[in-house]
Amino acid sequence: MNKIVFKDIKDFNPDHIFQCGQCFRWEPVDRTDINDLAERSCAGGQEQLNTGFFSNKKQQYLGIAGKYLALIEYESDHKTLTITGNGDRTFWRNYLDLDRDYGEIKARLINQDSTIAEAIDFGSGIRILNQDLWETIISFIISQNNHIPRIKGCINNLAIHFGDEIGGTDFVGKIIDRDFHAFSLPSPEVMANLSVEDLAPIRLGYRAKYLIESAKQVCEKGLPDRYEELLRLTGVGPKVANCIALFGLGERQSFPIDVWVKRVMHHVYGLPEEDIKGIAEFAENKFGDLGGYAQQYLFYYMRELDRK
């Protein structure tokens, strides 16, 4: 288990990053439960609350990135990011996109189009994760015509049933006060050898066949390396391909269009929700190579507004 600290991390908010629809294996740690656990488990409860795992001044998320498990803590007052778990400094720096200047990206977007400023301010701490490509393919095939709690449940059950157990998880019990077992998602080779009947307990519906066939294609031809190749995978259309390209291939110009994006493009820019082609052309002309960043700010803005 490693403990890695990054200092002076700006334009970073775990709530924005892990709640903006780009990933499904991260959950906020309940701060109330942490406080109760700390007070029960140590004599100097309040002192423990202000140090280590139990700080109530930090945003804390527990999750899995590929084959690595970690607790991510961000203390906004000091702009300090602490990662405890598997994986080294280089992996997490890349995964969290820490070397990119998001202040510059936001300024460029606003200079190009001041209309987006409110959405950027609302999700100012978003960073686009550099995710494992195969995990991203699985996740967004499952995401089709699905809602986030169910997507998360399907992905977690798929990992538990068919993935490999991730070691070094003992520290998690100190955080959530229960036994915890983490699993990576099944490899293409494992997935390709499953049947629809094998996957029945996961309740994937028609998506089960898509996953199996896509895994067979990856085993035969290798992982796709561009948008056009993603479209050749079974069950992957333009929206899913754009999501995978943005989050798994680093194609930051990609602009996935789902129900929330159609809604926000109508709300902010007055575009007809049913005109997907028009929305895509507008985004390409308006945002260019920053399309993926614009999409994330707009998506998060619209979805959170709808919840209020």
Side-chain angles (χ1 to χ4, degrees):
M1 182 179 69
N2 300 322
K3 186 168 186 177
I4 303 162
V5 179
F6 296 98
K7 300 284 189 180
D8 195 32
I9 301 299
K10 304 172 184 176
D11 306 300
F12 189 97
N13 185 317
D15 289 337
H16 297 173
I17 293 167
F18 297 124
Q19 301 290 343
C20 69
Q22 65 175 317
C23 58
F24 305 100
R25 306 206 73 191
W26 292 91
E27 295 293 341
V29 177
D30 189 313
R31 294 165 179 81
T32 302
D33 289 346
I34 290 174
N35 294 351
D36 291 344
L37 174 60
E39 290 171 354
R40 292 199 308 271
S41 62
C42 61
Q46 190 58 46
E47 179 182 353
Q48 183 71 11
L49 283 174
N50 293 324
T51 60
F53 289 129
F54 303 115
S55 172
N56 56 5
K57 297 180 180 179
K58 298 175 182 177
Q59 292 170 280
Q60 299 172 306
Y61 274 76
L62 182 66
I64 298 169
K67 60 182 180 180
Y68 298 126
L69 167 77
L71 173 72
I72 287 180
E73 305 173 285
Y74 184 66
E75 190 172 2
S76 57
D77 287 351
H78 299 100
K79 295 182 175 58
T80 300
L81 173 64
T82 304
I83 301 172
T84 306
N86 311 114
D88 60 20
R89 191 177 190 87
T90 300
F91 173 82
W92 291 111
R93 179 179 286 279
N94 176 67
Y95 180 77
L96 296 167
D97 209 29
L98 297 183
D99 290 325
R100 203 178 304 270
D101 187 344
Y102 277 74
E104 179 186 0
I105 289 168
K106 290 185 281 190
R108 283 180 60 195
L109 282 169
I110 293 170
N111 286 338
Q112 291 175 15
D113 172 35
S114 60
T115 309
I116 201 174
E118 185 174 345
I120 287 176
D121 183 64
F122 194 85
S124 61
I126 289 174
R127 284 176 178 261
I128 296 180
L129 303 173
N130 293 302
Q131 301 182 56
D132 176 81
L133 178 55
W134 175 239
E135 181 173 319
T136 310
I137 290 171
I138 290 177
S139 298
F140 283 95
I141 287 178
I142 290 173
S143 77
Q144 297 178 71
N145 300 311
N146 220 338
H147 56 80
I148 288 180
R150 191 169 184 278
I151 296 167
K152 289 183 174 182
C154 288
I155 291 172
N156 186 54
N157 286 330
L158 187 64
I160 290 171
H161 280 77
F162 302 108
D164 294 325
E165 186 163 11
I166 297 172
T169 63
D170 293 347
F171 76 99
V172 179
K174 300 176 184 177
I175 303 166
I176 61 176
D177 198 21
R178 66 175 187 268
D179 290 338
F180 182 83
H181 300 279
F183 297 84
S184 63
L185 285 168
S187 67
E189 293 76 16
V190 170
M191 184 74 74
N193 283 294
L194 298 175
S195 66
V196 171
E197 290 74 23
D198 292 330
L199 292 174
I202 314 301
R203 302 181 66 184
L204 294 165
Y206 64 87
R207 306 169 194 85
K209 182 177 179 180
Y210 291 171
L211 289 177
I212 294 167
E213 292 303 315
S214 291
K216 289 178 180 177
Q217 290 167 306
V218 168
C219 289
E220 180 182 348
K221 299 180 180 179
L223 285 165
D225 60 9
R226 61 183 185 276
Y227 173 81
E228 291 75 17
E229 291 185 0
L230 289 167
L231 289 172
R232 297 171 190 160
L233 295 177
T234 302
V236 173
K239 182 261 179 176
V240 169
N242 269 297
C243 288
I244 297 168
L246 177 58
F247 306 128
L249 288 176
E251 294 189 3
R252 296 298 202 255
Q253 78 282 0
S254 296
F255 193 87
I257 300 172
D258 69 351
V259 62
W260 295 107
V261 174
K262 288 189 286 187
R263 195 174 298 173
V264 75
M265 295 302 278
H266 175 72
H267 176 77
V268 175
Y269 296 105
L271 300 174
E273 290 188 32
E274 66 275 10
D275 186 8
I276 295 176
K277 182 179 179 181
I279 291 172
E281 291 176 351
F282 179 91
E284 183 178 358
N285 293 331
K286 177 69 72 173
F287 306 124
D289 64 341
L290 300 180
Y293 304 103
Q295 192 269 0
Q296 284 291 273
Y297 293 125
L298 290 164
F299 173 93
Y300 182 72
Y301 174 69
M302 191 73 249
R303 200 183 67 183
E304 294 303 306
L305 279 185
D306 189 74
R307 290 176 174 176
K308 294 186 176 182

